[in-house]
Amino acid sequence: MDFDHSDKVQRLRAQLSDFMRFHVEPANVAWHREVAAGRYPLALIERLKSKAFSEELWNLFLPGLSDGDPGQRLSNVEYAPLAEIMGRVHWASEVFNCNAPDTGNMELLHLAATPEQRSQWLDPLLIGEIRSCFAMSEPDAASSDARNIRTTIRRDGDHYVVNGRKWFITGPAHPNCKLAIVMGVSNDSLPPTSHERHSMLLVPMDTPGLSIVRNIPIMHYHSPEGHCELLFRDVRVPAANLLGEEGKGFRLAQDRLGPGRVHHCMRTIGQCEVALELMAERALEREAFGKHLADFANVQDWIAESRLEIDQARLLVMQAAHRMDRAGNAAARVDVSAIKLVAARLQTRVVDRAMQVFGAMGLTPDTPLSYLWTWGRAMRFLDGPDEVHLRVVARAELAKAKAQAGQNAHHFVPPSQLLSV
Ligand SMILES: Cc1cc2nc3c(=O)[nH]c(=O)nc-3n(C[C@H](O)[C@H](O)[C@H](O)COP(=O)(O)OP(=O)(O)OC[C@H]3O[C@@H](n4cnc5c(N)ncnc54)[C@H](O)[C@@H]3O)c2cc1C
């Protein structure tokens, strides 16, 4: 594996770093002030978006863009260091049209949309004109197993009718969110274990019967675009709004989550770098008991361990990205699970250390740390909880062991052999 950055990526990294330094970071205080004042969506984001678009720092995430689509056509390996830079400011990826959940939705539409669906939804998403959400999780179903989803998608003549309740759906509170990609049961005659019971449907947000019940705070943090509870009551859309084939919803959900999960992890690396930088700076300037915090051995250990763990996680991100590029998303499934788990745990661990070095200030909104910790904790659920990813890794290892049964016999030396020496 060669992870040296190509000339193109080196140029993009420099360009993106400058953009962050001169345009995004100086706008951070205004972003927080405007959001606190309830002025959302922000004019400043739209201004930054058009600047990023004109500088072609746009749609950096999608390798398979079609001819004429705006974007850089980067591989996952090429995208990773750029996502890391964007991750340093938590709202920045939207500026470059690289924010979740729109990126995953664009991947999905790119994969499965008809030409009509493409021009109605994908084209406006690709130019950042609209936003979208992905509605799978439900309050009444253990949503880490997508087969549990109960919302119904029933065929009625030339239409589908949707009934159900979703929650923790990211994005619907943004006024530009015009589309929900909804997962539901379209064939309830199949057994609950079947992977063919579910379908995906494109539901315009203004369809009668679809309502936002509430924006759910994540550990008291209110995201302006929302992690929302949605109610679907006899929501009727044309049959042409089916995404892909009937019964293939589970399959599409798997395809969607691969790259999206790794994008979160790439940004996590950037967020952890910020936490480490803040921790080290604070340790150098703060004094207690006659010396700088940086002179205490335990603080040095926290800094060193954070450096090592971030670098390990970055390599795992690159390995997953490399496998996706080389062998496809399905072949990289175990790598994606591995890094999803490692990155989510890393974020809470590194940020927790930084908070400790900051003292009580680490818990306030005066630094990004409390938000970054909250997001790290949320990462341990979103796109699948840790335990589901551990299971994927464990199953792969056990399958390997089964296939190699007996091959390790030579490692065992019976005591009788030792005694005879
Ligand atoms: C900030 C945030 C944003 C989100 N955005 C979206 C979104 O945009 N769209 C969307 O559809 N969903 C979204 N989600 C929901 C997220 O995908 C679900 O929370 C996640 O899939 C877990 O489902 P659940 O909460 O129902 O937990 P459950 O499925 O009820 O699981 C509960 C716990 O059971 C344990 N468990 C589950 N399976 C196993 C297993 N195989 N082995 C051992 N233990 C297990 C785990 O400890 C798990 O935490 C978001 C969540 C958060 C926090």
Side-chain angles (χ1 to χ4, degrees):
M1 281 180 270
D2 176 7
F3 295 145
D4 275 351
H5 301 310
S6 64
D7 289 347
K8 179 179 182 183
V9 172
Q10 290 202 35
R11 180 180 55 74
L12 283 169
R13 278 182 79 212
Q15 195 188 346
L16 184 61
S17 296
D18 282 351
F19 196 104
M20 292 288 289
R21 184 157 156 237
F22 295 115
H23 305 292
V24 174
E25 289 167 12
N28 194 31
V29 171
W31 188 93
H32 284 276
R33 196 178 51 229
E34 295 285 294
V35 168
R39 285 190 282 274
Y40 196 80
L42 307 185
L44 76 86
I45 290 273
E46 293 307 317
R47 265 199 314 278
L48 290 172
K49 273 170 69 179
S50 53
K51 184 161 181 54
F53 187 89
S54 66
E55 292 192 16
E56 296 182 33
L57 288 170
W58 195 257
N59 289 342
L60 305 168
F61 66 97
L62 196 56
L65 284 166
S66 308
D67 287 348
D69 289 339
Q72 289 284 349
R73 289 161 188 79
L74 301 174
S75 67
N76 287 295
V77 164
E78 289 175 317
Y79 177 55
L82 304 173
E84 178 178 333
I85 294 170
M86 288 181 236
R88 293 178 61 87
V89 174
H90 78 80
W91 50 267
S93 52
E94 183 183 356
V95 169
F96 310 99
N97 215 37
C98 290
N99 54 290
D102 295 297
T103 47
N105 292 343
M106 285 186 257
E107 302 247 14
L108 196 52
L109 291 166
H110 191 262
L111 199 73
T114 62
E116 294 73 29
Q117 291 170 344
R118 192 198 143 97
S119 64
Q120 189 176 3
W121 300 115
L122 180 55
D123 291 346
L125 278 166
L126 283 170
I127 57 170
E129 191 178 85
I130 64 166
R131 292 191 56 167
S132 59
C133 64
F134 181 72
M136 187 172 80
S137 302
E138 300 180 358
D140 299 327
S143 305
S144 46
D145 181 352
R147 291 171 305 178
N148 289 341
I149 297 309
R150 295 180 189 176
T151 290
T152 56
I153 296 180
R154 186 176 47 81
R155 182 77 188 240
D156 182 22
D158 292 340
H159 288 79
Y160 284 103
V161 181
V162 187
N163 277 289
R165 190 181 287 270
K166 301 282 184 185
W167 75 348
F168 289 97
I169 307 310
T170 303
H174 195 296
N176 291 349
C177 181
K178 302 294 181 199
L179 170 70
I181 303 183
V182 180
M183 172 119 159
V185 180
S186 52
N187 186 348
D188 59 7
S189 64
L190 291 171
T193 48
S194 167
H195 291 95
E196 309 265 302
R197 294 176 85 226
H198 294 86
S199 297
M200 280 193 194
L201 202 58
L202 304 177
V203 179
M205 287 300 292
D206 58 2
T207 311
L210 168 51
S211 55
I212 300 177
V213 179
R214 61 176 173 143
N215 180 354
I216 307 169
I218 303 298
M219 302 193 73
H220 303 294
Y221 179 79
H222 265 279
S223 145
E225 75 269 30
H227 303 291
C228 297
E229 182 170 341
L230 302 179
L231 182 63
F232 296 78
R233 193 175 280 156
D234 290 330
V235 173
R236 181 175 284 270
V237 297
N241 285 25
L242 185 73
L243 185 63
E245 290 171 50
E246 216 176 89
K248 299 291 180 214
F250 184 88
R251 186 62 224 259
L252 284 174
Q254 294 298 321
D255 290 342
R256 179 189 181 279
L257 283 172
R261 280 177 176 145
V262 179
H263 298 165
H264 277 306
C265 301
M266 294 166 177
R267 288 189 289 268
T268 282
I269 304 295
Q271 298 186 340
C272 289
E273 287 286 0
V274 169
L276 174 55
E277 287 166 23
L278 293 177
M279 169 161 53
E281 283 170 24
R282 179 79 168 182
L284 285 170
E285 71 187 27
R286 194 85 162 167
E287 285 184 50
F289 298 96
K291 52 185 181 178
H292 284 104
L293 299 185
D295 294 326
F296 289 105
N298 67 311
V299 174
Q300 292 180 7
D301 285 353
W302 291 341
I303 290 170
E305 280 165 12
S306 300
R307 172 80 281 141
L308 301 179
E309 289 166 8
I310 293 171
D311 288 350
Q312 287 168 5
R314 184 185 286 106
L315 284 173
L316 214 45
V317 165
M318 296 305 278
Q319 179 174 295
H322 178 78
R323 189 105 62 198
M324 287 194 300
D325 289 340
R326 284 292 180 91
N329 298 343
R333 190 160 166 256
V334 178
D335 303 83
V336 170
S337 275
I339 186 52
K340 167 63 179 52
L341 177 94
V342 166
R345 290 183 172 181
L346 174 80
Q347 179 144 347
T348 40
R349 207 163 49 242
V350 170
V351 175
D352 189 73
R353 290 176 188 137
M355 286 162 99
Q356 197 66 14
V357 169
F358 265 79
M361 187 186 180
L363 300 178
T364 69
D366 294 5
T367 79
L369 295 174
S370 58
Y371 170 80
L372 293 181
W373 189 91
T374 304
W375 186 249
R377 196 66 190 81
M379 280 259 296
R380 296 187 54 197
F381 299 114
L382 62 92
D383 288 356
D386 290 0
E387 292 74 18
V388 168
H389 294 297
L390 280 170
R391 189 163 170 251
V392 171
V393 177
R395 282 180 154 189
E397 282 306 305
L398 292 171
K400 254 191 278 172
K402 253 189 208 163
Q404 292 170 354
Q407 286 182 26
N408 279 315
H410 60 281
H411 289 302
F412 298 95
V413 182
S416 58
Q417 298 292 315
L418 293 173
L419 286 175
S420 66
V421 172

